[in-house]
Amino acid sequence: MTVPLGERTRAAAVRPHPYPFQQWTIAILLLMAPIFVVLYWLTVPTGSWLPVAVAQAALTLFFALAVTSYYLTAIWADDAGLTTRDVFGRRRTYPVGGIGGVVRLDLYRSGSLDVRPQLFLVDPDGRLLTRMHGTCWEIEAMDAVANALGVPVTQGPEPLTLRDLSQSRPELLHWFERRFAALSIDF
């Protein structure tokens, strides 16, 4: 019996953890609050505060949309395939036959000895399908996705820098990461 995509049982449904977005929220509030206080202080006495209020409303609406979009991001995986919904609302589905494997690596953070786990889902030719950054996804979520798919998992032997990964496996990186990694200097 074939079950339609919308009705099939999901073995793993994961969402990014909220910590990065909470940090971004605090940073934006700490930046924008003093700016708007000063702008209102300068414009209210002259009666020209309406453009400031419109700008603040627009930025608040934009940020509310970004928060909603982040919290709607998800990955669903089972033995039939993988479905992703990214921050921009795009939904992509990959059947398990189109997934060649999972590559797990630890990448050094820029200018630090700290490492972040990364999970790359690749097609049978080794090209990137989707990526789970350790900044936004917990290790348990990465494990759940890898286990639910039942495809081969390759673990990198040691942590890499972005430049090392760009030289050894550039197909795993986004175009802008390949460009900046090529320009970086190792000391």
Side-chain angles (χ1 to χ4, degrees):
M1 179 172 119
T2 304
V3 179
L5 175 65
E7 298 175 17
R8 73 181 192 209
T9 305
R10 299 291 184 179
V14 296
R15 296 194 181 276
H17 55 81
Y19 178 74
F21 216 81
Q22 291 170 351
Q23 296 301 312
W24 300 334
T25 302
I26 292 169
I28 288 171
L29 286 175
L30 290 175
L31 174 71
M32 298 310 289
I35 290 172
F36 279 108
V37 165
V38 169
L39 287 173
Y40 281 122
W41 181 65
L42 292 173
T43 58
V44 167
T46 62
S48 59
W49 57 270
L50 189 59
V52 175
V54 169
Q56 183 180 14
L59 286 173
T60 303
L61 178 64
F62 175 77
F63 188 69
L65 290 172
V67 168
T68 303
S69 182
Y70 182 81
Y71 284 111
L72 290 176
T73 300
I75 295 177
W76 301 275
D78 61 15
D79 58 355
L82 178 88
T83 302
T84 64
R85 184 195 181 280
D86 65 13
V87 175
F88 300 110
R90 294 178 299 211
R91 190 178 288 247
R92 294 190 174 126
T93 300
Y94 307 101
V96 77
I99 300 172
V102 172
V103 178
R104 296 193 67 160
L105 297 171
D106 290 326
L107 290 181
Y108 286 110
R109 293 179 58 197
S110 298
S112 173
L113 292 177
D114 294 337
V115 294
R116 293 276 190 225
Q118 307 279 320
L119 183 133
F120 303 88
L121 286 131
V122 295
D123 67 6
D125 296 328
R127 289 186 304 258
L128 181 66
L129 297 174
T130 192
R131 177 176 175 184
M132 296 175 76
H133 296 266
T135 304
C136 298
W137 299 92
E138 295 178 358
I139 293 174
E140 294 80 14
M142 294 181 195
D143 292 339
V145 168
N147 294 334
L149 291 172
V151 295
V153 177
T154 305
Q155 177 67 44
E158 60 187 36
L160 299 170
T161 63
L162 188 59
R163 184 176 184 163
D164 293 338
L165 182 60
S166 177
Q167 291 172 349
S168 63
R169 300 279 308 266
E171 70 276 5
L172 295 179
L173 297 174
H174 301 292
W175 66 270
F176 56 87
E177 289 175 311
R178 287 191 298 263
R179 173 178 240 176
F180 288 124
L183 297 174
S184 68
I185 299 171
D186 288 336
F187 292 100

